[in-house]
Each structure stands twice: as structure tokens, then as C-alpha cells.
Amino acid sequence: MAGVTLRNIVKRYGDVEAVRGINLDIADEEFVVLVGPSGCGKSTTLRMIAGLEDISDGDIAIDGDVVNDVPPKDRDIAMVFQNYALYPHMTVAENMSFGLRLKRYPKAEIKARVDEAARILDIRELLDRKPKALSGGQRQRVAMGRAIVRNPKVFLFDEPLSNLDAKLRVQMRTEIKKVHLKVRTTTVYVTHDQVEAMTLADRVVVMNHGRIEQIGPPNELYHHPRTRFVAGFIGSPAMNFIPVQLEQASGGLTMRLSDTIAMPVPAARTERYKAHVGQSGLVLGVRPEHITDAQSASGANIVPFDIRLDVIEPMGNETLVYFTLSGETMCGRVSPEAGAADGEPLKLAANLNHMHLIDAKGEVL
Amino acid sequence: MTAAAMASDKSAPTRKVQYGSMSRDRAWALRWSYFFLVIFAAFFLLPPIYMFITSLKTSAEISAATNPWWVYNPTLSNYAELLTKPEYLTFFKNSVIVSVFVVTITMLISIPAAFALSRMRFWGSATLATGVFLTYLVPDTLLFIPMFKMFAVFHEITGIQLLNRWWVLLVVYPTLTVPFCTWIMIGYFASIPKELDEAAIIDGASWFQTLTRIFVPVALPGIIAATIFAFTVSWAQFLYPLAFTTSVDQLVLPVGIITTLIRGDVFAWGQIMTGALLGALPPLIIYAFLMDYYIAGLTAGATKG
């Protein structure tokens, strides 16, 4: 068990910088998820921790020791790959024990560890099978078992659930979390799926264009995103963005969406936003759950407005409504009883207590 | 009543659907396949059949003006004579030894070479891989003269005589088998997902262990295909042994049959055919047992991602 430290990690492929100076401290027993769109450098970062890619610049330390030039096998890590990478000619038990057999562990100890991992993952009855006789979810468990038996300092997961169908993915997500609670090994997990990131992580690291946008616990990222990228990436459906002008009005600030629509800024935020009055390129960010039907929302800073809906998506417990405001497609979440219908008008309400104001550089103010 | 209602519902498709066109298509395809395959099989099977027929005849019957496709007085004397001849058994033994060694040497070189060229990305590995393939394109008919000269020069300098020794073939044959086998193995190794060796490396395997414990077992069909190829090439090779070996006790089967059974203008056809037929047996037996692997090896990478 050990922490992992990344200091100014850079990865260059020729002239292209895939990772541009990453600093990250992962505590012992922590579950950290690297998340971001494809090509953001998250997998490269993970592979550098594993030692499968060289570091162009910076330092990686595992358990306090710099491992820049340490080969993968001496880093005491285990990795789970997207396509499982099980050895096709070995049985499940042989797959799981391969690393231990290479290190010449005593037979009894190997058996004990394999049995223990098989018990944790509930794959005891599969131990004699070959990988081709397993389903996708079972293969994924075996791949995790192969990591667990080694009892490494760090687990590395590279998009382990991407090859599974949606239902199994949700199930395995829970499994991974349970296993982590049992085994308590420091884990770095890479995914492009923000839901996976939110549900699994102690802390989420949002990456974009080879840089870290924000690091924090899931709820902090969700409620206090620091950049427009994080605000838009975390949460599903994504946050609504709409350009606004910030104006000084009698008794406070006003956000002007268009010539006809203006909304007052909550009084509590006047102080924070005052300096940005008249600034160009400001964007208002509101999450879909803060745009609801006017009937079920009232109170301070909840601004009702009439709109004609484009389309609706009934989800059962709620209905997603889509409409156009100042040329932007917006999404709201209303009660199924609100009477929303395709192409029909509806009275909605925006809860500005949870609004975000973003400047032209993409930073949340 | 319900039937009537359903009938009125089915007003849309008025055109009569033609069923069975697929199977008619298939029948025609099969007919043509049989036609060409029979021609093909006949074309390639007639020579061995003729060899077999001739091997059962006496010299007198072979030179007689009778139907060459029929045996009037079948005899096994050719077989008996050949199999009791010490030279023929020596040729057979030489061929077996040379082929087994050549296959072993070839595999020991080309498997690690293919692994290195396909996986251990080093400077110039792609160029080297192409280079290996280009060597295969140079025909042996062009190579044997310079090689002969090289061996002669080697003898002058070191005093070690390589010519007219059966084991010189162990040096010469791999120039034919190694490039091709390396090339097939590169293709086969390339079809093995990269994560497999990465997983092995993280599990603590060295490059050598990754090769022997992961790649060789996973690529076994490809290795068997390459083995069969190497065996066939060295078993059937004629030009090199003809050029590099001359003494009767150093000859391999194909050359031995020609040199001992043709004396001046006297052709012992019955024994030549018998010898060739018996010589064709070992590859035949190997193919029969390993055919499935051979096909799997040659088509791998075509369908698997």
C-alpha cells in the first residue's frame, strides 16, 4: 500500500505534447479517477505510472521512491486493461497466478492467494476454465483477480468497463467499488465516462488537452466546478450555457440574456460578480435540474419564464424538456405531471441560487 | 370470420414471391466448384498415380509398348531392391537428419527474430523486417554460385572444408527458410493484442519469458505452419545439395535418387519412381496430421483483429 506522486509530468510524441505538466498527489488507499474526453492524456498518464511509456519530463514516485527509470515489473503495480488481456492458453487460475509463479512464490501461498481473490470476486467455480469460455463480465473479474493476487502497491485500471454492455457496466462498477472497500489498495482508474468517475472516485481528476482542469471529490466538482470545461463535462444531461450581459440595475445586478429577457442576480452573489459588470463574453451556466416546471418551484431567486418546448424526453420519474433560448439549446428537468409536450408552451422556472457565471477565459467566477 | 378479416388485411403484397432462388444459386455454384475441383485434382494427382503404377512394373514392362496406365505383371521387386540398398537408406537418413536440424535451426532463429521485429520497437526495426522479406525474394538459383565461391575462399583461408559435407546444408538451407518463416511469424505475432505482452511485463515477465510463456503458446498455429514450411523446403531442396555435395554417402534423397539410379543413359525408371514415391511420404504424413494447424496459421490475421 502506498501513495503515488506525479510532479510536472510531461509526455511528448515528437512535437506533440500529449501530457503537459501534471501534478497530482494520490494518498494511500485512495481511489482516484482520471476522466476526460478521448485524447486528453489520461491513458498516457496511467501508462506512465505503469512504466509502459517513458516520461519525457518530470518525476513519478510510488511510495516515496522515484520510479522514472524503474521497469514496470519492479514498480509493484497491477494493471487491468480495457480488453482484459487474459492469456488465452491458460486457465483462470493460471492467469491469476502467472505473476506469482514468475516470482517463484511457494505453491501453497499461490493457491491460498488465488482462492482468496476468487472468493472476493466470486469466481471460484471458474478457476479451471479457459478465458474463451467466459463471458465479458467474468473475464473482467478474472482480470481484476490477476491484479488482486499480486497484492501490489497500486492498482491501475485503463477503461476496464468500456467493452461491457450498459447493464453489466453498472453492475461491475458496483463490484469494483466493493472490491476496493475490501482490498483497500491505492487505485488509479481511467475512464471517459463521467458517471463512472463520479460513482467510483474518492477524488476525480478532470483532464483536458493534457492538463488537469480540476481535482476534487465528486460532489465538489459537480457543485463547484472551477472551469467551464468541468462544468460542462461533469453531470448528465450537461449543464446549460447561455451568453449573458451583466448589468448594474437599481437594487442589484441583472443578467441580460436578450433584449426582452433579463434575470436578477441573487443578492448573495452581487459582491462576487460586481467587478465583471459590462465585461464581454460572460456565460451563464445552469444545470438542468435547476430549470424546473414553475408549479413545483418557488422561493427566492427562482425566476419563472414562459417558453415553447422543442422536444421532451419522458424518463418515467422525470421528463427532460429541451427548448431554445438565445439560439442555445437548453435542457430542463420537470415533473412528469407538469404537462410538458413536444412543441407546446410551458411555464418553467430557473433556480438562480445554483447558477454559475463563467468569464471569457472559461473560468467560473 | 377472423380469417376473412386477416385476409383483407393482407392486401398489400400482390407480387408472387419466388422462394428458393438462394438454394438454386448455391446449386450452380456447387456444380461449377465440383467441375473445376475435379479437373484440378486430376491434374495434380495424375503424376503421383503414374509414379505409383510405374513403381509396380519391371524394367522390361516399362520399356514394352503396352498401355502405360495398366500393370500387367505387378511386382514389388523395385521396393525390395531399393529398401535393401544401403545407399538409399543413407540418403533417407541424411534427408531426415538435415531436415530435422534445419527446422530446429530455423525455428530457433526466426521465432526470436520475429518477436524482436514485431514487438521490441527499436531503431530500424521496420526497415530490417522489410529487409528480411527482400532476402526471401532472391532465388536460390542465383545464390548458389556466389555461395560456392564463398565456401571455397573460406577453405583457402581457414583450411576448413565445407564442400561435400552433408552438414554444409545446415548452413545453406536456413538462408531459404529463415526469411520466410520470420515473415510469417511477424504477421502472426502482429495479430496478438499488444495488451497481452504489456500484461505479462507488468506481471513481472522478462522479454524472454514473454516470448516463451505467452507468445510461443499463443502463436502455436503459426509456428506449426512455419515448421511445416521449413520442413517441406528442406526435404524437397534439390539445387543446393546437388551443388554442394557429391560423394554418395553425403547425398540427400532427391539428389541421391538422380545420381545413383541414372547411370549414363540408363534410367532405372521403376526404382526412380519408387524412390520418389517413398520420399514423398514423410511430408504427406506430416501434412495429414498438421493440416488444420497449417490452415489456421496461414489465414491468421486475416480474420482476427
Side-chain angles (χ1 to χ4, degrees), chain A residues 89-158:
Chain A
H89 57 294
M90 297 183 193
T91 64
V92 167
E94 286 166 347
N95 259 287
M96 285 164 65
S97 61
F98 183 64
L100 300 179
R101 283 185 285 138
L102 286 177
K103 293 203 173 79
R104 305 198 176 283
Y105 273 67
K107 277 216 174 83
E109 161 132 29
I110 292 177
K111 188 174 177 342
R113 285 208 196 183
V114 169
D115 286 346
E116 170 66 8
R119 192 188 55 76
I120 291 173
L121 293 163
D122 199 16
I123 50 172
R124 267 174 295 186
E125 68 283 8
L126 305 177
L127 285 176
D128 294 326
R129 290 210 204 155
K130 291 269 176 71
K132 67 167 185 281
L134 302 178
S135 70
Q138 289 170 332
R139 287 179 200 186
Q140 193 56 64
R141 278 168 210 260
V142 176
M144 279 165 64
R146 194 166 62 180
I148 291 172
V149 292
R150 301 251 320 274
N151 191 20
K153 286 180 183 161
V154 186
F155 279 157
L156 304 174
F157 288 86
D158 191 3

Side-chain angles (χ1 to χ4, degrees), chain B residues 33-303:
Chain B
S33 305
Y34 276 121
F35 178 70
F36 282 110
L37 285 173
V38 166
I39 291 181
F40 208 70
F43 186 78
F44 283 100
L45 283 178
L46 277 182
I49 290 170
Y50 187 67
M51 280 162 69
F52 177 65
I53 292 170
T54 312
S55 73
L56 297 175
K57 293 177 180 178
T58 60
S59 294
E61 188 176 341
I62 291 168
S63 48
T66 53
N67 180 4
W69 292 97
W70 192 252
V71 191
Y72 294 95
N73 302 300
T75 166
L76 286 176
S77 63
N78 287 325
Y79 290 84
E81 247 173 84
L82 210 57
L83 290 175
T84 51
K85 245 187 200 166
E87 300 110 76
Y88 185 78
L89 297 178
T90 309
F91 303 153
F92 212 95
K93 190 189 75 191
N94 285 349
S95 267
V96 169
I97 294 173
V98 168
S99 297
V100 167
F101 270 106
V102 166
V103 166
T104 314
I105 293 169
T106 305
M107 287 304 125
L108 286 179
I109 296 173
S110 61
I111 292 173
F115 179 68
L117 289 173
S118 65
R119 277 308 205 266
M120 304 171 70
R121 311 215 157 263
F122 52 90
W123 188 84
S125 57
T127 320
L128 272 175
T130 317
V132 167
F133 186 61
L134 287 180
T135 12
Y136 176 67
L137 297 181
V138 184
D140 45 358
T141 40
L142 285 182
L143 281 176
F144 82 99
I145 299 170
M147 262 202 272
F148 199 93
K149 183 71 187 163
M150 277 164 60
F151 291 150
V153 171
F154 185 76
H155 180 217
E156 277 168 32
I157 296 171
T158 62
I160 300 170
Q161 181 59 276
L162 295 168
L163 294 170
N164 197 20
R165 305 282 185 276
W166 65 263
W167 42 263
V168 74
L169 302 178
L170 304 185
V171 182
V172 177
Y173 284 4
T175 62
L176 297 170
T177 52
V178 166
F180 187 74
C181 291
T182 307
W183 192 252
I184 335 185
M185 294 312 301
I186 289 176
Y188 206 90
F189 285 166
S191 72
I192 297 176
K194 184 131 189 45
E195 286 82 359
L196 215 57
D197 32 318
E198 289 178 346
I201 283 170
I202 288 182
D203 263 345
S206 62
W207 281 110
F208 184 71
Q209 284 168 322
T210 309
L211 172 62
T212 54
R213 303 190 60 167
I214 308 294
F215 269 66
V216 169
V218 171
L220 203 59
I223 290 174
I224 289 176
T227 307
I228 295 179
F229 172 82
F231 180 81
T232 314
V233 164
S234 52
W235 188 263
Q237 180 55 234
F238 182 72
L239 183 65
Y240 282 165
L242 184 69
F244 295 121
T245 53
T246 42
S247 308
V248 170
D249 60 336
Q250 303 294 328
L251 295 180
V252 291
L253 199 56
V255 182
I257 292 171
I258 300 302
T259 31
T260 56
L261 299 180
I262 303 173
R263 296 222 160 78
D265 57 353
V266 181
F267 288 70
W269 279 122
Q271 288 188 19
I272 293 175
M273 292 302 170
T274 311
L277 206 62
L278 290 176
L281 277 182
L284 206 66
I285 293 167
I286 290 177
Y287 271 103
F289 279 105
L290 300 176
M291 198 56 169
D292 291 344
Y293 278 110
Y294 191 60
I295 292 168
L298 286 186
T299 55
T303 52

